[in-house]
Amino acid sequence: RYGEIFKTHILGCPCVMLASPEAARFVLVTHSHLFKPTYPKSKEKLIGSCALFFHQGDYHTRIRKLVQTSLSPESIKKLIPDIETQVISSLESWVSIGQVINAFHEMKKFSFNIGILSVFGNLENNYREQLKENYSIIEKGYNSFPTRIPGTAYSKALLARQRIQEIISEIICKRKEQKLIEKNLLSHLLNYKDEKGEILTDEEIADNVIGVLFAAQDTTASVLTWILKYLHDDQKLLEAVKAEQMSIYEANEGGKIPLSWNQTRNMPLTHRVILESLRMASIISFTFREAVVDVVYKGYLIPKGWKVMPLFRNIHHNPEFYINPQSFDPSRFEVSPKPNTFMPFGNGVHSCPGNELAKLNMLILIHHLVTKFRWEVEGHESGVQYSPFPIPMHGLPTRFLRDQ
């Protein structure tokens, strides 16, 4: 309605909305130094002010490099056996329930466990349970009214955040004593030294661990839930995905041999289904930036201090770039999308460093799901609910069954 650039006060402060690939590239890539990431203070307190995505400049570059190294293809390929174990255990538990379950809630538990795995490696059960319990309290308070009155969701979340910091400090202490040579994110953060020989504080480590767990859970879970829905709604596509995965399953002697990294790189149709799900659902609809100086873009002045929001969803659903953007069509990814028209993980120095791990989770889960199980979606109420990420209505009530 308002074109590719317009201003609004819809969020209680002056915001500039940008809905074109060029504008998104201007803010996130070519002129990213003129725009800083910005989040409400209440949210910063719950994640931790030292977390990667609240910063730019030297500190951001150093921490991002550590996170990227620990989540690089070279590192995550070693996680495949552990991810497979987690996938099979989750699927078995959903089948054994024997009832309709909230698919989104179950995908959240699964994504959290994979997040724990990528951050800590193998973690003792008691620590995992304590982290999970406190993390869910933080989640409930994250988007609530930020008042510190005792008993409120936000107040409880702050206390849970403090407990998580203590748990992580305890784990750090143990890991330092054990002197284990591991390649997970925690060990990268623990072993880091800058050029002056200074190490990261426990607080910096804890904030970044919580930041990664936070970034990994809801987003991955939302996409997985949409994939279930899109495949369920298109049985012909589901059969084609199943055929692709069955050829790998049979090559692995009916699943007796674990998946290899090369096999996960050779699932073209499944990969296109994931990309199209990311485009259609556009889990991250936009990103928050703030102009650090007065900026002129295409003759428009963006005053210092104004919020600037590249709108990914608008770009992903623009018929100029995607024919019939509201229809689910993985074949559109047989050719690469035009530059800056597909940004499910953001763009530039603040793009999501965990995107390869997220896609690997999805590929492994789809492989085991379609080769050994089937699922039925209960009720056909279409629509989207926001929590705050877009998910199918009621979290997609689903029954999982063993494939006979």
Side-chain angles (χ1 to χ4, degrees):
R1 187 186 300 171
Y2 300 111
E4 67 166 65
I5 178 165
F6 60 93
K7 66 177 182 180
T8 172
H9 275 67
I10 199 165
L11 298 173
C13 55
C15 299
V16 177
M17 303 295 197
L18 303 165
S20 74
E22 304 78 42
R25 181 174 162 75
F26 180 86
V27 172
L28 301 174
V29 183
T30 57
H31 293 73
S32 59
H33 57 289
L34 304 178
F35 303 92
K36 67 176 183 182
T38 176
Y39 288 80
K41 276 278 173 265
S42 58
K43 296 186 184 329
E44 215 175 285
K45 281 196 173 74
L46 288 181
I47 292 173
S49 59
C50 300
L52 173 69
F53 37 74
F54 298 133
H55 292 267
Q56 62 182 151
D58 183 44
Y59 175 79
H60 173 267
T61 307
R62 285 184 290 134
I63 300 292
R64 183 179 171 81
K65 202 171 171 189
L66 291 175
V67 175
Q68 265 180 321
T69 306
S70 70
L71 298 177
S72 68
E74 210 43 56
S75 299
I76 61 174
K77 64 168 69 167
K78 301 183 185 87
L79 290 177
I80 291 177
D82 291 323
I83 295 173
E84 275 202 282
T85 303
Q86 189 58 57
V87 163
I88 294 162
S89 143
S90 298
L91 287 165
E92 293 287 356
S93 76
W94 301 339
V95 169
S96 67
I97 291 168
Q99 291 172 333
V100 174
I101 56 175
N102 182 314
F104 176 61
H105 286 168
E106 294 306 318
M107 291 298 180
K108 273 174 73 160
K109 290 178 196 168
F110 164 72
S111 302
F112 187 79
N113 286 336
I114 301 294
I116 292 280
L117 189 64
S118 62
V119 171
F120 298 100
N122 288 312
L123 186 64
E124 296 94 320
N125 244 343
N126 62 322
Y127 284 136
R128 189 188 287 120
E129 288 311 312
Q130 286 176 55
L131 286 169
K132 202 180 285 183
E133 188 187 315
N134 286 293
Y135 186 85
S136 71
I137 299 169
I138 290 180
E139 253 196 331
K140 289 187 184 92
Y142 188 73
N143 288 307
S144 66
F145 188 74
T147 172
R148 287 170 176 266
I149 297 170
T152 58
Y154 187 73
S155 169
K156 286 178 184 170
L158 285 172
L159 293 171
R161 170 66 179 76
Q162 186 52 44
R163 285 194 293 274
I164 285 186
Q165 174 115 16
E166 288 157 12
I167 296 161
I168 293 172
S169 292
E170 209 174 298
I171 296 167
I172 288 171
C173 204
K174 268 195 170 178
R175 297 277 164 106
K176 281 177 178 170
E177 280 171 17
Q178 291 165 343
K179 292 192 171 66
L180 295 174
I181 307 297
E182 291 180 312
K183 289 290 175 211
N184 50 54
L185 175 60
L186 183 61
S187 59
H188 277 96
L189 293 168
L190 280 173
N191 296 328
Y192 174 75
K193 273 193 179 110
D194 67 12
E195 54 283 359
K196 293 176 190 159
E198 292 190 10
I199 59 170
L200 294 171
T201 65
D202 283 6
E203 185 189 353
E204 286 170 334
I205 293 173
D207 288 3
N208 280 291
V209 163
I210 293 167
V212 168
L213 289 175
F214 185 84
Q217 194 195 18
D218 277 36
T219 46
T220 307
S222 304
V223 181
L224 283 167
T225 310
W226 281 112
I227 290 171
L228 282 185
K229 177 167 171 51
Y230 294 138
L231 286 176
H232 179 271
D233 291 352
D234 188 339
Q235 289 296 311
K236 203 172 159 193
L237 176 63
L238 175 57
E239 285 308 312
V241 169
K242 189 169 181 173
E244 177 174 272
Q245 294 299 337
M246 282 310 281
S247 67
I248 295 171
Y249 183 71
E250 280 152 17
N252 286 349
E253 296 174 18
K256 290 189 182 116
I257 299 170
L259 276 174
S260 71
W261 172 255
N262 286 343
Q263 284 173 330
T264 67
R265 301 295 92 184
N266 193 23
M267 300 174 173
L269 176 59
T270 312
H271 189 243
R272 290 198 295 273
V273 166
I274 290 170
L275 297 181
E276 177 66 344
S277 301
L278 287 163
R279 182 198 70 81
M280 278 281 283
S282 289
I283 303 301
I284 305 294
S285 306
F286 54 82
T287 186
F288 276 108
R289 292 289 181 272
E290 184 182 304
V292 292
V293 291
D294 286 356
V295 182
V296 176
Y297 173 72
K298 284 196 172 177
Y300 293 97
L301 171 68
I302 303 173
K304 178 183 176 181
W306 279 33
K307 307 292 184 216
V308 179
M309 295 161 74
L311 303 171
F312 302 138
R313 178 179 293 277
N314 297 47
I315 296 167
H316 293 166
H317 287 249
N318 187 330
E320 217 181 295
F321 315 125
Y322 298 100
I323 296 160
N324 298 329
Q326 300 310 321
S327 69
F328 186 83
D329 178 11
S331 71
R332 64 174 94 241
F333 283 95
E334 283 168 10
V335 292
S336 295
K338 289 176 186 166
N340 308 299
T341 60
F342 183 59
M343 297 174 280
F345 298 101
N347 202 354
V349 291
H350 285 279
S351 61
C352 171
N355 62 54
E356 288 298 334
L357 177 62
K359 285 190 278 196
L360 183 63
N361 287 344
M362 293 170 203
L363 290 165
I364 295 174
L365 191 130
I366 294 168
H367 172 78
H368 288 282
L369 177 61
V370 301
T371 53
K372 300 178 214 156
F373 302 89
R374 57 195 169 87
W375 68 101
E376 296 164 358
V377 173
E378 297 288 316
H380 290 281
E381 192 183 338
S382 61
V384 182
Q385 70 184 68
Y386 291 85
S387 68
F389 298 109
I391 57 168
M393 287 303 274
H394 311 302
L396 200 71
T398 306
R399 187 192 303 275
F400 288 87
L401 305 146
R402 211 174 298 284
D403 209 358
Q404 298 309 327

Short mmCIF file of all heavy atoms in Angstrom, two decimals, residues 276 279-280 314-333 335-338 341:
data_model
loop_
_atom_site.label_atom_id
_atom_site.label_comp_id
_atom_site.label_asym_id
_atom_site.label_seq_id
_atom_site.Cartn_x
_atom_site.Cartn_y
_atom_site.Cartn_z
N GLU A 276 11.56 -23.64 0.49
CA GLU A 276 10.23 -23.07 0.21
C GLU A 276 9.43 -22.88 1.50
O GLU A 276 8.67 -21.91 1.63
CB GLU A 276 9.49 -23.98 -0.79
CG GLU A 276 8.07 -23.56 -1.12
CD GLU A 276 7.94 -22.23 -1.88
OE1 GLU A 276 8.89 -21.43 -1.93
OE2 GLU A 276 6.84 -21.98 -2.43
N ARG A 279 10.66 -19.72 2.97
CA ARG A 279 10.12 -18.55 2.26
C ARG A 279 8.65 -18.31 2.62
O ARG A 279 8.26 -17.20 2.98
CB ARG A 279 10.24 -18.75 0.74
CG ARG A 279 9.74 -17.55 -0.09
CD ARG A 279 9.46 -17.89 -1.52
NE ARG A 279 8.30 -18.74 -1.70
CZ ARG A 279 7.04 -18.31 -1.71
NH1 ARG A 279 6.76 -17.03 -1.54
NH2 ARG A 279 6.03 -19.16 -1.87
N MET A 280 7.86 -19.37 2.52
CA MET A 280 6.42 -19.23 2.77
C MET A 280 6.14 -18.76 4.20
O MET A 280 5.37 -17.83 4.42
CB MET A 280 5.72 -20.58 2.57
CG MET A 280 5.41 -20.88 1.13
SD MET A 280 3.95 -20.02 0.50
CE MET A 280 2.63 -20.99 1.20
N ASN A 314 7.66 -9.31 3.34
CA ASN A 314 7.17 -8.59 2.15
C ASN A 314 7.99 -8.94 0.92
O ASN A 314 7.46 -9.09 -0.17
CB ASN A 314 7.24 -7.07 2.38
CG ASN A 314 6.35 -6.63 3.52
OD1 ASN A 314 6.36 -7.24 4.59
ND2 ASN A 314 5.56 -5.59 3.33
N ILE A 315 9.30 -9.08 1.11
CA ILE A 315 10.18 -9.41 -0.02
C ILE A 315 9.91 -10.85 -0.47
O ILE A 315 9.79 -11.14 -1.66
CB ILE A 315 11.67 -9.19 0.37
CG1 ILE A 315 11.92 -7.70 0.66
CG2 ILE A 315 12.61 -9.70 -0.71
CD1 ILE A 315 13.24 -7.39 1.35
N HIS A 316 9.79 -11.78 0.50
CA HIS A 316 9.57 -13.21 0.18
C HIS A 316 8.21 -13.45 -0.48
O HIS A 316 8.01 -14.48 -1.12
CB HIS A 316 9.64 -14.06 1.46
CG HIS A 316 11.01 -14.11 2.06
ND1 HIS A 316 11.25 -14.57 3.33
CD2 HIS A 316 12.22 -13.76 1.56
CE1 HIS A 316 12.54 -14.49 3.59
NE2 HIS A 316 13.15 -14.01 2.53
N HIS A 317 7.27 -12.53 -0.26
CA HIS A 317 5.90 -12.73 -0.79
C HIS A 317 5.58 -11.73 -1.90
O HIS A 317 4.41 -11.48 -2.20
CB HIS A 317 4.88 -12.64 0.34
CG HIS A 317 4.90 -13.84 1.24
ND1 HIS A 317 3.88 -14.76 1.30
CD2 HIS A 317 5.86 -14.30 2.09
CE1 HIS A 317 4.20 -15.72 2.16
NE2 HIS A 317 5.40 -15.46 2.64
N ASN A 318 6.62 -11.18 -2.52
CA ASN A 318 6.42 -10.19 -3.58
C ASN A 318 6.32 -10.92 -4.93
O ASN A 318 7.25 -11.61 -5.33
CB ASN A 318 7.62 -9.23 -3.59
CG ASN A 318 7.42 -8.07 -4.54
OD1 ASN A 318 6.74 -8.20 -5.56
ND2 ASN A 318 8.03 -6.94 -4.23
N PRO A 319 5.16 -10.78 -5.63
CA PRO A 319 4.98 -11.50 -6.91
C PRO A 319 5.99 -11.12 -7.98
O PRO A 319 6.19 -11.84 -8.95
CB PRO A 319 3.55 -11.12 -7.33
CG PRO A 319 3.15 -9.97 -6.49
CD PRO A 319 3.98 -10.00 -5.25
N GLU A 320 6.67 -9.98 -7.78
CA GLU A 320 7.72 -9.57 -8.71
C GLU A 320 8.89 -10.56 -8.69
O GLU A 320 9.56 -10.79 -9.69
CB GLU A 320 8.23 -8.19 -8.26
CG GLU A 320 8.59 -7.25 -9.39
CD GLU A 320 9.09 -5.92 -8.81
OE1 GLU A 320 8.30 -5.22 -8.16
OE2 GLU A 320 10.28 -5.64 -8.99
N PHE A 321 9.14 -11.14 -7.50
CA PHE A 321 10.27 -12.07 -7.35
C PHE A 321 9.82 -13.53 -7.32
O PHE A 321 10.59 -14.42 -7.66
CB PHE A 321 11.06 -11.75 -6.07
CG PHE A 321 11.33 -10.29 -5.88
CD1 PHE A 321 10.96 -9.63 -4.70
CD2 PHE A 321 11.95 -9.55 -6.88
CE1 PHE A 321 11.20 -8.27 -4.53
CE2 PHE A 321 12.19 -8.20 -6.72
CZ PHE A 321 11.81 -7.55 -5.54
N TYR A 322 8.60 -13.79 -6.85
CA TYR A 322 8.09 -15.16 -6.73
C TYR A 322 6.69 -15.23 -7.34
O TYR A 322 5.74 -14.65 -6.79
CB TYR A 322 8.05 -15.58 -5.26
CG TYR A 322 9.41 -15.61 -4.61
CD1 TYR A 322 9.84 -14.56 -3.79
CD2 TYR A 322 10.30 -16.66 -4.83
CE1 TYR A 322 11.10 -14.56 -3.21
CE2 TYR A 322 11.57 -16.68 -4.25
CZ TYR A 322 11.96 -15.63 -3.45
OH TYR A 322 13.21 -15.64 -2.88
N ILE A 323 6.56 -15.94 -8.47
CA ILE A 323 5.26 -16.06 -9.13
C ILE A 323 4.31 -16.82 -8.20
O ILE A 323 4.69 -17.82 -7.57
CB ILE A 323 5.42 -16.82 -10.47
CG1 ILE A 323 6.31 -15.99 -11.41
CG2 ILE A 323 4.07 -17.11 -11.13
CD1 ILE A 323 6.94 -16.77 -12.52
N ASN A 324 3.06 -16.35 -8.10
CA ASN A 324 2.07 -16.94 -7.17
C ASN A 324 2.69 -17.16 -5.79
O ASN A 324 2.82 -18.29 -5.33
CB ASN A 324 1.53 -18.29 -7.68
CG ASN A 324 0.80 -18.13 -9.00
OD1 ASN A 324 0.20 -17.09 -9.24
ND2 ASN A 324 0.87 -19.14 -9.84
N PRO A 325 3.10 -16.08 -5.12
CA PRO A 325 3.87 -16.23 -3.86
C PRO A 325 3.11 -16.96 -2.75
O PRO A 325 3.74 -17.50 -1.85
CB PRO A 325 4.17 -14.79 -3.45
CG PRO A 325 3.19 -13.94 -4.18
CD PRO A 325 2.87 -14.66 -5.45
N GLN A 326 1.77 -17.02 -2.83
CA GLN A 326 1.01 -17.67 -1.76
C GLN A 326 0.90 -19.18 -1.95
O GLN A 326 0.33 -19.88 -1.11
CB GLN A 326 -0.41 -17.06 -1.64
CG GLN A 326 -0.43 -15.57 -1.32
CD GLN A 326 0.46 -15.18 -0.15
OE1 GLN A 326 0.53 -15.90 0.85
NE2 GLN A 326 1.16 -14.06 -0.25
N SER A 327 1.40 -19.70 -3.10
CA SER A 327 1.31 -21.16 -3.29
C SER A 327 2.65 -21.80 -2.93
O SER A 327 3.72 -21.24 -3.19
CB SER A 327 0.92 -21.48 -4.73
OG SER A 327 1.97 -21.14 -5.59
N PHE A 328 2.57 -23.00 -2.34
CA PHE A 328 3.76 -23.72 -1.89
C PHE A 328 4.32 -24.50 -3.07
O PHE A 328 3.72 -25.46 -3.54
CB PHE A 328 3.39 -24.67 -0.74
CG PHE A 328 4.59 -25.34 -0.12
CD1 PHE A 328 5.34 -24.70 0.84
CD2 PHE A 328 4.96 -26.63 -0.50
CE1 PHE A 328 6.46 -25.30 1.40
CE2 PHE A 328 6.08 -27.25 0.06
CZ PHE A 328 6.81 -26.58 1.02
N ASP A 329 5.49 -24.09 -3.55
CA ASP A 329 6.04 -24.68 -4.76
C ASP A 329 7.57 -24.79 -4.67
O ASP A 329 8.30 -23.89 -5.06
CB ASP A 329 5.63 -23.81 -5.96
CG ASP A 329 6.21 -24.35 -7.27
OD1 ASP A 329 6.73 -25.48 -7.27
OD2 ASP A 329 6.14 -23.63 -8.28
N PRO A 330 8.07 -25.95 -4.15
CA PRO A 330 9.52 -26.11 -4.00
C PRO A 330 10.29 -26.02 -5.31
O PRO A 330 11.48 -25.70 -5.32
CB PRO A 330 9.66 -27.51 -3.39
CG PRO A 330 8.34 -27.79 -2.77
CD PRO A 330 7.33 -27.10 -3.61
N SER A 331 9.60 -26.27 -6.46
CA SER A 331 10.33 -26.27 -7.73
C SER A 331 10.88 -24.89 -8.07
O SER A 331 11.78 -24.76 -8.88
CB SER A 331 9.42 -26.76 -8.87
OG SER A 331 8.44 -25.78 -9.16
N ARG A 332 10.33 -23.84 -7.42
CA ARG A 332 10.85 -22.49 -7.72
C ARG A 332 12.33 -22.37 -7.30
O ARG A 332 13.03 -21.49 -7.75
CB ARG A 332 9.98 -21.41 -7.07
CG ARG A 332 9.94 -21.40 -5.59
CD ARG A 332 9.17 -20.19 -5.06
NE ARG A 332 7.76 -20.44 -4.80
CZ ARG A 332 6.76 -19.80 -5.43
NH1 ARG A 332 7.03 -18.87 -6.32
NH2 ARG A 332 5.51 -20.07 -5.15
N PHE A 333 12.79 -23.26 -6.40
CA PHE A 333 14.20 -23.20 -5.97
C PHE A 333 15.12 -24.07 -6.82
O PHE A 333 16.27 -24.30 -6.46
CB PHE A 333 14.32 -23.54 -4.48
CG PHE A 333 13.89 -22.41 -3.59
CD1 PHE A 333 12.59 -22.35 -3.09
CD2 PHE A 333 14.77 -21.38 -3.29
CE1 PHE A 333 12.18 -21.28 -2.30
CE2 PHE A 333 14.38 -20.31 -2.51
CZ PHE A 333 13.08 -20.26 -2.01
N VAL A 335 16.08 -23.00 -9.55
CA VAL A 335 17.04 -21.96 -9.93
C VAL A 335 17.24 -21.05 -8.72
O VAL A 335 16.32 -20.88 -7.92
CB VAL A 335 16.55 -21.12 -11.14
CG1 VAL A 335 16.51 -21.95 -12.39
CG2 VAL A 335 15.20 -20.51 -10.86
N SER A 336 18.42 -20.50 -8.58
CA SER A 336 18.68 -19.64 -7.41
C SER A 336 17.83 -18.39 -7.47
O SER A 336 17.65 -17.80 -8.54
CB SER A 336 20.15 -19.23 -7.38
OG SER A 336 20.93 -20.36 -7.19
N PRO A 337 17.28 -17.96 -6.31
CA PRO A 337 16.52 -16.71 -6.31
C PRO A 337 17.41 -15.51 -6.62
O PRO A 337 18.63 -15.59 -6.46
CB PRO A 337 15.96 -16.62 -4.89
CG PRO A 337 16.70 -17.62 -4.09
CD PRO A 337 17.35 -18.59 -5.00
N LYS A 338 16.80 -14.43 -7.07
CA LYS A 338 17.57 -13.21 -7.36
C LYS A 338 18.27 -12.74 -6.08
O LYS A 338 17.73 -12.94 -4.98
CB LYS A 338 16.64 -12.10 -7.87
CG LYS A 338 16.11 -12.36 -9.26
CD LYS A 338 15.13 -11.28 -9.66
CE LYS A 338 14.48 -11.61 -11.00
NZ LYS A 338 13.32 -10.77 -11.25
N THR A 341 16.65 -11.44 -2.45
CA THR A 341 15.19 -11.66 -2.42
C THR A 341 14.84 -12.84 -1.52
O THR A 341 13.67 -13.14 -1.31
CB THR A 341 14.63 -11.93 -3.82
OG1 THR A 341 15.25 -13.10 -4.36
CG2 THR A 341 14.84 -10.74 -4.75
#
